[in-house]
Amino acid sequence: MARFVRTRRRFLELAGSGAVVGIAGCLGGGGGQQETETETTTEAMDDDHDEERPEGVSAEEFEHGPVPEAYRTALSQANEQRDPDDLFTKEAVKFQEADEAVEAGLTEAGRDCGNCAEYIPDKNGDGFGACAKVEGYVDPEDWCSLWESIEEAEAEAEEEAGGDGDETASVA
Ligand code: SF4
């Protein structure tokens, strides 16, 4: 049975203590974070803590990628294609467990990666998926500030697709 670990709580502790570096500073921008194997910060996270992640995946990989090949350029559940060269860091988008985000007043209950337009569901049975916008492994019970409902994303896509030459568009 696959073994997962919760890394988020530990991540937040590190972020709070200043141990995590490299805040991307690109919140609200167009991405621009490259998925690389930087050797930063996570020696502390490699301490045996209550981290869980897929077997054989380092803390660094878990946070920053690269993710397995099957996810690298996969489509999200709202058909957005992942670009491994244009991703946000988890730090930049307040990535954390959805429950904790609700407790912190950052979002409302019921919003998590599992029902986000950008989520790429688990493909290999390890319990983790990936994200079309954010680097590293993603648990469906996580959340970040880029959360968008699938319905909303699909409606936007339809609107864009139907926008050209559609004379029935409302004029308000
Ligand atoms: S909530 Fe954020 S990390 Fe999770 S799938 Fe959506 S965009 Fe990606």
Side-chain angles (χ1 to χ4, degrees):
M1 194 163 294
R3 229 6 301 105
F4 329 133
V5 199
R6 301 237 124 217
T7 311
R8 271 69 53 193
R9 185 166 282 120
R10 176 65 182 146
F11 167 74
L12 287 174
E13 288 167 13
L14 289 170
S17 70
V20 173
V21 298
I23 302 295
C26 51
L27 231 193
Q33 281 299 302
Q34 195 163 8
E35 187 175 44
T36 55
E37 296 166 83
T38 52
E39 47 172 291
T40 42
T41 62
T42 44
E43 66 237 292
M45 297 175 77
D46 272 328
D47 297 339
D48 41 347
H49 268 90
D50 49 358
E51 291 182 25
E52 281 188 40
R53 45 186 191 265
E55 226 168 291
V57 174
S58 71
E60 180 65 25
E61 272 180 295
F62 191 84
E63 291 303 313
H64 298 289
V67 294
E69 195 55 40
Y71 300 94
R72 285 180 66 87
T73 57
L75 292 178
S76 77
Q77 50 193 359
N79 288 320
E80 172 136 359
Q81 184 156 29
R82 188 175 189 272
D83 176 354
D85 295 324
D86 189 17
L87 298 171
F88 288 92
T89 63
K90 289 179 176 176
E91 293 94 324
V93 294
K94 301 188 169 78
F95 185 89
Q96 58 194 278
E97 288 181 39
D99 286 352
E100 292 179 350
V102 172
E103 271 175 40
L106 295 171
T107 189
E108 52 192 72
R111 294 182 172 187
D112 59 26
C113 294
N115 59 29
C116 173
E118 312 297 347
Y119 187 61
I120 301 168
D122 179 17
K123 292 178 183 293
N124 57 9
D126 67 3
F128 294 92
C131 174
K133 295 281 191 203
V134 177
E135 62 186 19
Y137 289 67
V138 175
D139 186 313
E141 294 179 7
D142 289 326
W143 170 91
C144 90
S145 59
L146 302 177
W147 185 91
E148 182 179 23
S149 78
I150 296 170
E151 295 72 25
E152 198 180 340
E154 286 177 345
E156 275 171 25
E158 260 174 48
E159 199 175 309
E160 278 169 29
D164 293 336
D166 184 355
E167 300 297 328
T168 62
S170 68
V171 187

